[in-house]
Amino acid sequence: MIKTISYLGLGTMGSGMATNLLKAGYELTVWNRNAEKCETLSRKGARVADTPTDAVREVDLIMYSLSNDQAVEEVVFGAKGILRGINQGQIAIDMSTVLPATSLREQEAYAKRGVDFLDAPVFGSKQESADAKLWIMAAGNKAIFEKVKPVLEHLGQTVHYFGKNGNAAAMKLVGNLIVALELEALAEGLVLAQKAGLDLNTVMKVVKVADFRSPLLVSNGRSILKRDFSTSFALKLMLKDAGLIEKFAESLSSPIPALRVAEKNLESAVALGFGKENASALIKALEREAGVEVKE
Ligand code: NAP
């Protein structure tokens, strides 16, 4: 049974998950590159480690949620990385959004040390992470999945098993392809509605009930109308994911014409300086082009 856990990467997603692990009663060690982000959890009883190598010693399970493939490279494979401190019998779970090829590289490196590895990225954002309502996908050895499932169930409302390593990372990219296109569709639709002189509150009332409704369209549409771009999922992370989707789809010769359009608008919005705002700030690139501002 899992009793001791280390959580590395206390950003928007990791901080919520780590807090919920403490609440669930696990003995928790935390590490974050910027150590200040460990303070709240330290006050709540977590041990704070100085390096990833130090963080992972003698715990049952190591979990991490990091920005991108490069961060995983540093935290897992780096000079003070996880691989320097981890030992046979321990389990590692990468909850970041990364290329499936990165998950496979991690799995191989861990296997050489006798460590089991799952890729387990998540859907949901800041609120779902804080509320333990994430939608989690996991891939890797089935017996290991069954062993850690009770832990994942403390973080999410659903946990889906996807088979061999890399498949959960692939599913995350499939989902984020849909997310990127929904955000692009919402932005284009709202700019057109504004240009057409429609009442935008009524537009959103229809979006909420019609057969094309989705929670993502409703929550982002409402925030856009209020000009609230506070970050749940940063625009720059959406752009990062668009790059991953592009690479992954190209490796499989799978067509992604619409994703390329969305990616161009994400790039424009980041170039305009909105990268740290919420991904819904994608609309600002279209607003610039259209000469309008979408608000209630
Ligand atoms: P975030 O708030 O930007 O946090 C990123 C974390 O990665 C921070 O702990 C950061 O440390 C760390 N990090 C970045 N570069 C690093 C490096 N080179 N070395 C060590 N640590 C590094 O991001 P997030 O929103 O929590 O997202 C985390 C992952 O979950 C990403 O892969 C993202 O795509 C995915 N995701 C996010 C959401 C969402 O809605 N936010 C939803 C699903 C999945 P510092 O604090 O020191 O910068």
Side-chain angles (χ1 to χ4, degrees), residues 44-83:
K44 289 180 178 165
R47 180 181 88 88
V48 178
D50 290 333
T51 65
T53 310
D54 171 42
V56 304
R57 290 190 209 283
E58 291 167 22
V59 293
D60 301 322
L61 175 64
I62 295 104
M63 307 172 86
Y64 42 97
S65 179
L66 303 161
S67 303
N68 50 28
D69 293 67
Q70 192 202 329
V72 167
E73 185 68 39
E74 284 174 34
V75 173
V76 176
F77 296 91
K80 292 176 180 169
I82 293 173
L83 283 163

Side-chain angles (χ1 to χ4, degrees), residues 98-101 103-104 117-121 137-140 160-174 248:
V98 293
L99 279 173
S103 305
L104 293 178
F117 170 77
L118 301 179
D119 41 305
M137 297 136 306
H160 285 97
Y161 178 65
F162 265 87
K164 66 180 176 21
N165 275 117
N167 281 357
M171 176 58 214
K172 176 63 190 172
L173 296 185
V174 168
F248 184 52

